[in-house]
Amino acid sequence: MPIVSKNRRREKFLLVGEMGSGKTYATCSIARVLNFWSNQQIVHVIDTEDAWAANLEEFPEFEFQDDEYRIWSPNRPMSVYRAENVAIKVYLCLTYQEVLDATDLIANDMKSRGAAGLEDWVVVDRVSIVWPLAAPHWVRTVLKKDPDEMQRAFVASGKTGDPFFEYYRSGINPMWASWENRVLYELGGHVVFSAIEKKLNKEQNKFKDKNFILMMMEKAGVKAGGNSGTPGLVHSVIRFWHARAVPVNEWRMLTCKERGGRAWFGKDRQLEEGVSFADGYLLDPEFAGWKIV
């Protein structure tokens, strides 16, 4: 039986948290639940920090497939893990071009599966690492300049900030939006982005965070690293955070945005032992409201 949203819409999640908060593990737990209830779905992963192999060691139902391991880009592996009903395909991507190339491969894979591909998942772990790769890629491929040399010249002239700032509006942002929109809207399937958290900037300067980010994330006190517009494009924004001030040192999750723009600022939920992200959030009718059919 497949696990589907209550209105069969394509779901778009953004998981936010500090290092070690369990974002990758949470996504693995979705794959575990899919394995219990699905019909041969695939989880396609763009892995920017080589973290999935270590996390999947804690999910023994997913077995590494030696015969499907291959090098898809210079010195970059594509690894496949299979359980009874779900396959996980992990692309290690350390440059922006590799992210683009992996997205092409994922798109072709999903398209080849027809209607079944529309229930597949695409995971970008972490999107906050992909974002800073975009600027030097644009400088290198469009301006035909060395971004490292531009950085050195920028510093030598006594300037501070981002040496590529003047190019964001004209070229870098549109290039990024083209890729991000492709993942969110064109590929089909369900999407999970993860991002390292950063402090909100409420100061009255040109770097102040946009009002919709301040409103959405004020309760959490942090924002997602990477492109500031990403939280506005997804249905759900969930923060995983370390509650050190409670009697027991524990991880919790806070739902900052829930589909269609509804804010659940009061929904501070403990991730209880033995309850996965999928069980405690994805299948909870009070939150994501997915159903098993």
Side-chain angles (χ1 to χ4, degrees):
M1 293 185 293
I3 174 175
V4 300
S5 63
K6 54 189 173 184
N7 56 2
R8 292 189 178 273
R9 70 189 286 176
R10 289 180 289 178
E11 298 300 329
K12 304 174 182 69
F13 294 90
L14 173 61
L15 311 183
V16 181
E18 60 186 80
M19 290 289 292
S21 58
K23 298 180 296 299
T24 301
Y25 187 91
T27 311
C28 290
S29 76
I30 294 178
R32 169 176 279 172
V33 171
L34 293 174
N35 183 51
F36 289 152
W37 301 105
S38 81
N39 182 20
Q40 303 303 318
Q41 286 171 277
I42 297 177
V43 178
H44 306 270
V45 181
I46 293 176
D47 183 1
T48 64
E49 54 179 354
D50 201 11
W52 272 70
N55 274 269
L56 284 172
E57 290 179 357
E58 301 186 46
F59 295 81
E61 62 267 45
F62 289 99
E63 297 183 358
F64 175 74
Q65 305 297 301
D66 289 286
D67 59 337
E68 295 187 77
Y69 178 85
R70 63 187 177 90
I71 302 299
W72 67 276
S73 177
N75 300 317
R76 300 288 183 256
M78 193 276 277
S79 304
V80 179
Y81 301 81
R82 291 190 182 276
E84 183 179 0
N85 295 310
V86 171
I88 301 175
K89 298 184 177 181
V90 182
Y91 296 83
L92 178 61
C93 299
L94 302 182
T95 70
Y96 194 78
Q97 186 60 56
E98 289 170 352
V99 170
L100 297 178
D101 293 343
T103 304
D104 287 339
L105 294 174
I106 292 169
N108 292 335
D109 196 340
M110 295 176 70
K111 184 177 180 179
S112 70
R113 287 167 44 74
L118 296 178
E119 290 299 332
D120 287 347
W121 291 69
V122 180
V123 177
V124 182
D125 191 4
R126 304 183 310 246
V127 73
S128 56
I129 290 180
V130 180
W131 167 248
L133 298 175
H137 176 84
W138 188 88
V139 167
R140 191 178 297 110
T141 57
V142 177
L143 292 186
K144 306 298 183 182
K145 294 184 178 181
D146 184 335
D148 293 331
E149 289 184 2
M150 289 184 65
Q151 173 74 50
R152 288 191 291 268
F154 185 82
V155 173
S157 65
K159 298 179 181 179
T160 59
D162 189 336
F164 312 125
F165 182 77
E166 63 183 294
Y167 300 108
Y168 277 97
R169 186 180 298 274
S170 63
I172 298 170
N173 281 339
M175 180 193 69
W176 167 269
S178 176
W179 170 78
E180 188 174 49
N181 289 338
R182 186 184 187 197
V183 174
L184 288 171
Y185 306 121
E186 296 177 20
L187 295 188
H190 312 287
V191 178
V192 180
F193 285 159
S194 73
I196 289 293
E197 66 183 41
K198 298 175 63 178
K199 288 185 178 181
L200 284 172
N201 186 357
K202 303 179 182 180
E203 300 297 327
Q204 295 296 329
N205 56 42
K206 65 179 181 180
F207 300 110
K208 178 184 177 180
D209 287 313
K210 298 176 181 178
N211 286 335
F212 82 92
I213 296 296
L214 293 174
M215 293 172 61
M216 185 189 309
M217 304 298 292
E218 186 174 12
K219 170 78 174 178
V222 300
K223 62 180 179 179
N227 183 19
S228 62
T230 300
L233 302 178
V234 298
H235 298 147
S236 305
V237 180
I238 303 103
R239 184 199 181 196
F240 291 83
W241 63 288
H242 201 180
R244 299 179 177 87
V246 297
V248 179
N249 210 19
E250 62 194 8
W251 290 101
R252 295 187 173 188
M253 69 178 183
L254 177 67
T255 309
C256 302
K257 174 189 176 183
E258 178 47 45
R259 74 181 51 174
R262 291 202 310 271
W264 293 79
F265 289 121
K267 304 298 183 179
D268 181 3
R269 294 168 55 83
Q270 179 180 349
L271 288 175
E272 301 173 6
E273 184 177 358
V275 178
S276 72
F277 167 74
D279 294 327
Y281 179 88
L282 193 63
L283 299 178
D284 189 330
E286 188 179 9
F287 289 86
W290 285 57
K291 296 181 180 179
I292 296 169
V293 299

